[in-house]
Amino acid sequence: MTTTPKIVLIGAGSVVFTQGLLADLLAFPELKSAHIALHDIDTERLATAHAAAVRIADALGATPDVTADTDRRKALADADFVINIVQIGMVEATRTDFEVPARYGVRQTIGDTLGIGGIFRALRTFPFLRDLGRDIAEVCPQAWLLNYTNPMAMNVQYLTQATGLTRVVGLCHSVYWTMRDLADLVKVPYGEISYHAAGVNHQAWVLRFEHQGRSLYPKLDELIASDDQLRRRARVDMYRRLGYYPTETSEHSSEYVPWYLHHDSEVERLRLPIGEYLKIVDENVATYERTRDALASGTPVAVEGTMEYAPQIIHSMVTGTPRTVYGNVPNRGLIDNLPAHGTVEVPCLVDPLGVQPTRVGSLPPQLAALNRTYLSANDLVVRAAVEDDPRHIRHAAMTDPATAAALPVEDIWRLCDDMVTAHGDLLQPGLRTRLGS
């Protein structure tokens, strides 16, 4: 691996996330002279990302070669690493993901991983991933594709099945921040805890949580028993009933099971914020606009690291520094009681040889049962695209726990018809058909 790697950010117009990644990357002395290639199809956002990159490099005393290009193949040429952070359809498509299902009474909080929102976010992202995979295979076949775009598990499964790429890993910060929060909760420094987690993205589980060889779960149990506000979190409710703490927020976790969002009493008890992601989208747009205006006026912008995995992976592969990160990869025997073709989230060793997943064995059966339902829906969405079969979109929605809990089957099919129509040309042609109920 070259000591001056070429790192390409696809979707660099997601300026806030781009800023955090660049702050992490350029904080490493060994990466201060890397080639940072920024790509986006939105020229204004791309120019803003380029200006932010230059400003961050100056603040960190780095001297990278920063380029920006709307031509994706030109940006990708000879890349060592490709970081994908695109959002196909942007704000308008996200609003569709919430507003159309809401007319049927389907409640969502984040809508980017499973459920109707996750299904259609995947289906409008797959055509882009197919083209990106083709370009990588042709102009930088040795590059590692580090994917941040949701729905993570569906996208990684599609990439590996439909593009033939093998150097693909999906990255998410949910395990890391869950463990930071748990350490704070039990008042043990994060650097002193040991943990082991596994499952699927946004529905993985903390299998071990220890300090100096002793489990910290009993201490967590005491805190939960003494704090009625803690018990008003969906992930805590799931932990109390399943025995293992979920690695994603309550907002996310509530969407992947049938027990909460369909019931007014549970929404109130667990304080579930319906439509929360629409607020986040609005905040992101406002933050982007403030950043754009600050850069244009010469006002300082934030240069804050985010502890994301992609910069750590790149540093480990370039320098030989071994690390363990959590990655989303094809199962292939890593978790015995989950489907081999599904995408799982497991600890991965990173060194100059790449990202090497570690075998977990079997999950506790109650956890595997939930993960299998999640992966079944994922598989049907991927099959819809790979086989060009619009019926599998409906099958995926029927299989999804939260959608099935909210609607009779005829309404599920009507909802899928309306979503297909609303997203229109963002879907591959064979999936744009209305099938009726």
Side-chain angles (χ1 to χ4, degrees):
M1 180 66 64
T2 176
T3 56
T4 54
K6 182 175 181 181
I7 304 163
V8 184
L9 275 67
I10 302 292
S14 303
V15 173
V16 176
F17 200 37
T18 296
Q19 285 178 270
L21 289 170
L22 292 175
D24 285 342
L25 283 164
L26 299 179
F28 288 116
E30 300 89 346
L31 300 179
K32 287 185 182 293
S33 61
H35 178 181
I36 306 295
L38 308 174
H39 166 73
D40 205 284
I41 60 173
D42 185 315
T43 55
E44 180 198 279
R45 281 181 168 267
L46 183 59
T48 301
H50 185 269
V54 171
R55 191 75 60 84
I56 290 168
D58 288 344
L60 294 175
T63 57
D65 177 15
V66 181
T67 58
D69 210 303
T70 56
D71 183 326
R72 186 172 63 215
R73 289 173 69 89
K74 182 178 177 182
L76 286 169
D78 301 320
D80 297 295
F81 300 96
V82 180
I83 302 175
N84 178 39
I85 52 176
V86 301
Q87 183 180 348
I88 302 299
M90 297 294 286
V91 175
E92 295 78 11
T94 299
R95 292 197 183 284
T96 295
D97 286 343
F98 279 85
E99 291 173 356
V100 175
R103 295 203 292 266
Y104 283 79
V106 175
R107 293 166 169 169
Q108 299 177 97
T109 52
I110 306 298
D112 70 351
T113 297
L114 210 59
I116 290 296
I119 289 169
F120 280 88
R121 181 178 282 237
L123 291 172
R124 67 177 185 264
T125 304
F126 289 167
F128 161 80
L129 294 178
R130 179 195 61 222
D131 294 343
L132 176 63
R134 178 201 63 214
D135 288 349
I136 290 174
E138 292 178 3
V139 304
C140 55
Q142 298 304 309
W144 278 88
L145 175 55
L146 310 178
N147 179 69
Y148 276 103
T149 296
N150 283 320
M152 181 65 66
M154 293 189 210
N155 286 342
V156 171
Q157 183 176 343
Y158 180 83
L159 278 164
T160 55
Q161 291 186 5
T163 73
L165 296 182
T166 58
R167 295 186 169 191
V168 176
V169 60
L171 302 176
C172 176
H173 45 231
S174 62
V175 173
Y176 172 78
W177 286 112
T178 291
M179 300 316 302
R180 296 289 308 212
D181 290 346
L182 282 177
D184 289 344
L185 197 59
V186 299
K187 295 181 170 54
V188 175
Y190 173 76
E192 295 182 13
I193 68 169
S194 301
Y195 59 89
H196 182 59
V200 295
N201 183 238
H202 289 178
Q203 198 186 64
W205 315 93
V206 181
L207 303 176
R208 296 177 64 182
F209 175 37
E210 299 177 355
H211 179 237
Q212 297 178 347
R214 290 189 172 186
S215 175
L216 287 168
Y217 267 141
K219 190 170 185 177
L220 179 62
D221 293 340
E222 292 174 8
L223 288 169
I224 292 171
S226 65
D227 188 338
D228 60 353
Q229 294 306 303
L230 270 180
R231 295 194 296 276
R232 294 187 67 192
R233 298 182 186 178
R235 70 196 305 195
V236 171
D237 193 73
M238 291 175 67
Y239 163 60
R240 293 174 66 205
R241 300 173 193 280
L242 296 168
Y244 297 87
Y245 201 78
T247 64
E248 190 46 81
T249 63
S250 292
E251 292 86 348
H252 276 284
S253 295
S254 67
E255 292 188 300
Y256 315 140
V257 294
W259 317 314
Y260 300 126
L261 288 174
H262 184 54
H263 305 283
D264 291 344
S265 59
E266 293 296 83
V267 170
E268 179 181 359
R269 178 175 75 92
L270 299 172
R271 301 169 294 186
L272 296 172
I274 308 302
E276 177 71 9
Y277 193 64
L278 291 177
K279 299 175 187 175
I280 296 171
V281 167
D282 289 340
E283 291 169 2
N284 287 343
V285 171
T287 301
Y288 162 73
E289 291 173 348
R290 288 193 299 270
T291 300
R292 178 199 60 200
D293 295 345
L295 289 164
S297 66
T299 304
V301 296
V303 183
E304 298 179 1
T306 55
M307 297 298 292
E308 289 291 348
Y309 285 139
Q312 297 179 54
I313 288 172
I314 293 169
H315 182 262
S316 288
M317 292 182 64
V318 169
T319 66
T321 305
R323 282 186 176 86
T324 297
V325 304
Y326 278 80
N328 292 271
V329 294
N331 187 11
R332 296 173 185 163
L334 299 171
I335 299 180
D336 292 335
N337 48 356
L338 294 183
H341 59 269
T343 299
V344 294
E345 191 165 60
V346 297
C348 300
L349 169 67
V350 188
D351 62 18
L353 298 179
V355 180
Q356 303 163 64
T358 60
R359 187 175 182 278
V360 172
S362 291
L363 294 177
Q366 70 275 25
L367 309 183
L370 289 176
N371 285 171
R372 282 196 295 269
T373 299
Y374 173 118
L375 290 177
S376 292
N378 283 4
D379 187 55
L380 287 164
V381 177
V382 173
R383 285 178 180 274
V386 172
E387 300 174 10
D388 212 27
D389 186 347
R391 291 177 61 87
H392 282 327
I393 301 174
R394 285 76 180 168
H395 299 155
M398 291 165 63
T399 304
D400 172 66
T403 307
L407 297 179
V409 69
E410 288 190 2
D411 284 349
I412 292 175
W413 280 56
R414 291 192 191 102
L415 170 56
C416 289
D417 276 355
D418 286 352
M419 290 290 282
V420 164
T421 299
H423 282 301
D425 291 345
L426 292 176
L427 308 180
Q428 66 191 54
L431 300 183
R432 299 173 193 168
T433 305
R434 294 178 66 92
L435 298 181
S437 60

mmCIF file of all heavy atoms in Angstrom, residues 56-73:
data_model
loop_
_atom_site.group_PDB
_atom_site.id
_atom_site.type_symbol
_atom_site.label_atom_id
_atom_site.label_comp_id
_atom_site.label_asym_id
_atom_site.label_seq_id
_atom_site.Cartn_x
_atom_site.Cartn_y
_atom_site.Cartn_z
ATOM 1 N N ILE A 56 -9.894 22.616 6.295
ATOM 2 C CA ILE A 56 -9.559 21.625 7.318
ATOM 3 C C ILE A 56 -8.076 21.259 7.241
ATOM 4 O O ILE A 56 -7.392 21.143 8.258
ATOM 5 C CB ILE A 56 -10.457 20.380 7.173
ATOM 6 C CG1 ILE A 56 -11.894 20.726 7.574
ATOM 7 C CG2 ILE A 56 -9.936 19.217 8.016
ATOM 8 C CD1 ILE A 56 -12.913 19.668 7.194
ATOM 9 N N ALA A 57 -7.582 21.059 6.027
ATOM 10 C CA ALA A 57 -6.161 20.732 5.858
ATOM 11 C C ALA A 57 -5.278 21.837 6.428
ATOM 12 O O ALA A 57 -4.298 21.562 7.141
ATOM 13 C CB ALA A 57 -5.853 20.516 4.378
ATOM 14 N N ASP A 58 -5.602 23.091 6.146
ATOM 15 C CA ASP A 58 -4.817 24.201 6.682
ATOM 16 C C ASP A 58 -4.838 24.198 8.208
ATOM 17 O O ASP A 58 -3.804 24.392 8.857
ATOM 18 C CB ASP A 58 -5.374 25.528 6.160
ATOM 19 C CG ASP A 58 -5.074 25.754 4.681
ATOM 20 O OD1 ASP A 58 -4.192 25.038 4.150
ATOM 21 O OD2 ASP A 58 -5.719 26.618 4.078
ATOM 22 N N ALA A 59 -6.017 23.970 8.779
ATOM 23 C CA ALA A 59 -6.145 23.987 10.240
ATOM 24 C C ALA A 59 -5.339 22.876 10.894
ATOM 25 O O ALA A 59 -4.846 23.039 12.024
ATOM 26 C CB ALA A 59 -7.619 23.865 10.628
ATOM 27 N N LEU A 60 -5.196 21.749 10.193
ATOM 28 C CA LEU A 60 -4.481 20.601 10.772
ATOM 29 C C LEU A 60 -3.022 20.536 10.325
ATOM 30 O O LEU A 60 -2.309 19.587 10.666
ATOM 31 C CB LEU A 60 -5.197 19.302 10.382
ATOM 32 C CG LEU A 60 -6.605 19.118 10.972
ATOM 33 C CD1 LEU A 60 -7.264 17.867 10.413
ATOM 34 C CD2 LEU A 60 -6.547 19.050 12.497
ATOM 35 N N GLY A 61 -2.588 21.517 9.584
ATOM 36 C CA GLY A 61 -1.202 21.512 9.111
ATOM 37 C C GLY A 61 -0.911 20.397 8.135
ATOM 38 O O GLY A 61 0.218 19.912 8.046
ATOM 39 N N ALA A 62 -1.917 20.002 7.369
ATOM 40 C CA ALA A 62 -1.768 18.921 6.394
ATOM 41 C C ALA A 62 -1.603 19.502 4.998
ATOM 42 O O ALA A 62 -2.032 20.623 4.721
ATOM 43 C CB ALA A 62 -2.982 17.994 6.438
ATOM 44 N N THR A 63 -0.995 18.717 4.133
ATOM 45 C CA THR A 63 -0.771 19.167 2.753
ATOM 46 C C THR A 63 -1.257 18.125 1.749
ATOM 47 O O THR A 63 -0.499 17.648 0.905
ATOM 48 C CB THR A 63 0.720 19.453 2.526
ATOM 49 O OG1 THR A 63 1.463 18.259 2.834
ATOM 50 C CG2 THR A 63 1.202 20.606 3.383
ATOM 51 N N PRO A 64 -2.526 17.754 1.833
ATOM 52 C CA PRO A 64 -3.036 16.766 0.875
ATOM 53 C C PRO A 64 -3.188 17.376 -0.511
ATOM 54 O O PRO A 64 -3.276 18.597 -0.672
ATOM 55 C CB PRO A 64 -4.402 16.408 1.457
ATOM 56 C CG PRO A 64 -4.836 17.669 2.130
ATOM 57 C CD PRO A 64 -3.586 18.263 2.719
ATOM 58 N N ASP A 65 -3.228 16.493 -1.495
ATOM 59 C CA ASP A 65 -3.599 16.900 -2.853
ATOM 60 C C ASP A 65 -5.113 16.738 -2.938
ATOM 61 O O ASP A 65 -5.616 15.615 -3.010
ATOM 62 C CB ASP A 65 -2.888 16.009 -3.865
ATOM 63 C CG ASP A 65 -3.290 16.318 -5.310
ATOM 64 O OD1 ASP A 65 -3.895 17.388 -5.528
ATOM 65 O OD2 ASP A 65 -3.008 15.485 -6.187
ATOM 66 N N VAL A 66 -5.847 17.856 -2.895
ATOM 67 C CA VAL A 66 -7.310 17.810 -2.893
ATOM 68 C C VAL A 66 -7.825 18.139 -4.288
ATOM 69 O O VAL A 66 -7.525 19.206 -4.836
ATOM 70 C CB VAL A 66 -7.901 18.799 -1.874
ATOM 71 C CG1 VAL A 66 -9.433 18.711 -1.882
ATOM 72 C CG2 VAL A 66 -7.362 18.525 -0.478
ATOM 73 N N THR A 67 -8.563 17.204 -4.872
ATOM 74 C CA THR A 67 -9.168 17.429 -6.172
ATOM 75 C C THR A 67 -10.677 17.238 -6.061
ATOM 76 O O THR A 67 -11.161 16.537 -5.166
ATOM 77 C CB THR A 67 -8.605 16.475 -7.238
ATOM 78 O OG1 THR A 67 -8.839 15.110 -6.819
ATOM 79 C CG2 THR A 67 -7.105 16.690 -7.416
ATOM 80 N N ALA A 68 -11.401 17.867 -6.969
ATOM 81 C CA ALA A 68 -12.859 17.740 -6.993
ATOM 82 C C ALA A 68 -13.306 17.564 -8.427
ATOM 83 O O ALA A 68 -12.846 18.292 -9.313
ATOM 84 C CB ALA A 68 -13.512 18.969 -6.369
ATOM 85 N N ASP A 69 -14.211 16.607 -8.654
ATOM 86 C CA ASP A 69 -14.620 16.327 -10.026
ATOM 87 C C ASP A 69 -16.039 15.780 -10.055
ATOM 88 O O ASP A 69 -16.404 14.939 -9.224
ATOM 89 C CB ASP A 69 -13.677 15.311 -10.671
ATOM 90 C CG ASP A 69 -13.559 15.522 -12.173
ATOM 91 O OD1 ASP A 69 -14.601 15.498 -12.856
ATOM 92 O OD2 ASP A 69 -12.429 15.729 -12.650
ATOM 93 N N THR A 70 -16.823 16.245 -11.018
ATOM 94 C CA THR A 70 -18.156 15.683 -11.221
ATOM 95 C C THR A 70 -18.117 14.421 -12.073
ATOM 96 O O THR A 70 -19.125 13.717 -12.176
ATOM 97 C CB THR A 70 -19.077 16.716 -11.902
ATOM 98 O OG1 THR A 70 -18.476 17.144 -13.128
ATOM 99 C CG2 THR A 70 -19.322 17.913 -10.992
ATOM 100 N N ASP A 71 -16.962 14.121 -12.675
ATOM 101 C CA ASP A 71 -16.778 12.902 -13.465
ATOM 102 C C ASP A 71 -16.330 11.787 -12.517
ATOM 103 O O ASP A 71 -15.199 11.786 -12.030
ATOM 104 C CB ASP A 71 -15.722 13.145 -14.544
ATOM 105 C CG ASP A 71 -15.529 11.941 -15.473
ATOM 106 O OD1 ASP A 71 -15.644 10.788 -15.005
ATOM 107 O OD2 ASP A 71 -15.253 12.163 -16.659
ATOM 108 N N ARG A 72 -17.236 10.834 -12.277
ATOM 109 C CA ARG A 72 -16.946 9.803 -11.281
ATOM 110 C C ARG A 72 -15.764 8.924 -11.685
ATOM 111 O O ARG A 72 -14.899 8.608 -10.854
ATOM 112 C CB ARG A 72 -18.190 8.940 -11.055
ATOM 113 C CG ARG A 72 -18.008 7.914 -9.916
ATOM 114 C CD ARG A 72 -19.310 7.220 -9.599
ATOM 115 N NE ARG A 72 -19.806 6.439 -10.729
ATOM 116 C CZ ARG A 72 -21.092 6.305 -11.024
ATOM 117 N NH1 ARG A 72 -22.013 6.919 -10.305
ATOM 118 N NH2 ARG A 72 -21.468 5.561 -12.059
ATOM 119 N N ARG A 73 -15.699 8.505 -12.911
ATOM 120 C CA ARG A 73 -14.609 7.632 -13.335
ATOM 121 C C ARG A 73 -13.262 8.347 -13.234
ATOM 122 O O ARG A 73 -12.257 7.732 -12.871
ATOM 123 C CB ARG A 73 -14.865 7.130 -14.759
ATOM 124 C CG ARG A 73 -16.008 6.126 -14.837
ATOM 125 C CD ARG A 73 -16.346 5.786 -16.277
ATOM 126 N NE ARG A 73 -15.299 5.010 -16.916
ATOM 127 C CZ ARG A 73 -15.221 3.674 -16.898
ATOM 128 N NH1 ARG A 73 -16.127 2.966 -16.242
ATOM 129 N NH2 ARG A 73 -14.252 3.044 -17.530
#
